[in-house]
Amino acid sequence: LKDALIGMDLVIIPAGVPHKHGLTKDDLFNINVGIVKTLCEAIAKCCPKAIVNVLSNPVNSTVLITAEVFKRVGTYDPKRLLGVTMLDVVRANMFVAEVLGVDLRYVDVPIIGGHVGITILPLLSQIKPPCSFTLKRSEYPSSTILTS
Ligand SMILES: NC(=O)C1=CN([C@@H]2O[C@H](COP(=O)(O)OP(=O)(O)OC[C@H]3O[C@@H](n4cnc5c(N)ncnc54)[C@H](O)[C@@H]3O)[C@@H](O)[C@H]2O)C=CC1
Ligand SMILES: O=C([O-])CC(=O)C(=O)O
């Protein structure tokens, strides 16, 4: 690990277990947080100035934990830490484009919250282009965004 990190300007962390392994949300969280924490402790020692890009899920939590690891050792720089959160947005854009029957490229669905089940909050009222759903029509994008 040390050899892989020394001298690096950018570290991308995709290590971890994905959702599909029949694990509970807690399992996913505990395993991935442990992996990311170990990697970040090594980054803090070997390449403390590197930009760190975290993919491991749930990314909204793993990025915060990474920040805490760096704060503890005094290398935290918010400008050098980021996570990839576009996945839920890309999926939501696709589902909504399907329901509206419009070109995916012109749809933007803001998502806030987390990355697991009901913690994912698609802001259907803020969609671009502006649109309105009946309750029934909103069921498909909402439930599909949460479970996909
Ligand atoms: N933020 C995003 O947009 C995305 C995030 N992910 C997340 O990325 C993670 C990996 O997903 P996949 O690539 O589909 O899984 P995968 O099982 O195909 O790959 C995981 C990799 O992590 C490695 N790994 C496991 N434990 C490790 C450790 N302790 N130290 C170093 N490497 C280790 C494995 O050897 C494997 O190469 C998951 O948490 C998944 O949810 C996946 C896709 C998109
Ligand atoms: O876990 C994975 O394979 C990637 C991911 O985050 C998702 O599909 O929601």
Side-chain angles (χ1 to χ4, degrees):
L1 184 56
K2 195 173 137 199
D3 290 342
L5 291 174
I6 284 178
M8 290 301 130
D9 296 320
L10 169 68
V11 180
I12 299 175
I13 306 183
V17 286
H19 281 132
K20 287 95 191 169
H21 289 200
L23 299 169
T24 67
K25 287 178 264 185
D26 289 347
D27 294 336
L28 182 81
F29 179 87
N30 289 328
I31 297 170
N32 288 351
V33 161
I35 292 173
V36 170
K37 185 168 171 284
T38 305
L39 295 176
C40 289
E41 284 164 351
I43 291 167
K45 281 196 190 122
C46 301
C47 49
K49 297 273 182 215
I51 293 171
V52 178
N53 184 10
V54 183
L55 275 87
S56 320
N57 274 315
V59 77
N60 54 299
S61 304
T62 49
V63 171
L64 296 184
I65 285 167
T66 302
E68 291 309 313
V69 171
F70 291 149
K71 280 181 197 168
R72 204 179 300 162
V73 295
T75 63
Y76 176 59
D77 177 354
K79 293 201 175 102
R80 289 174 188 272
L81 175 61
L82 54 139
V84 176
T85 59
M86 277 304 285
L87 187 58
D88 290 327
V89 174
V90 170
R91 285 200 189 109
N93 289 350
M94 190 187 77
F95 300 135
V96 168
E98 247 176 63
V99 172
L100 297 179
V102 298
D103 188 323
L104 169 63
R105 286 173 297 173
Y106 305 114
V107 177
D108 182 34
V109 183
I111 298 210
I112 59 173
H115 176 66
V116 177
I118 57 164
T119 68
I120 304 171
L121 188 55
L123 303 182
L124 297 187
S125 63
Q126 306 295 312
I127 289 174
K128 287 185 192 144
C131 60
S132 61
F133 291 105
T134 60
L135 198 55
K136 192 160 173 21
R137 272 184 92 204
S138 75
E139 259 167 37
Y140 168 70
S142 304
S143 65
T144 317
I145 290 164
L146 302 194
T147 54
S148 61

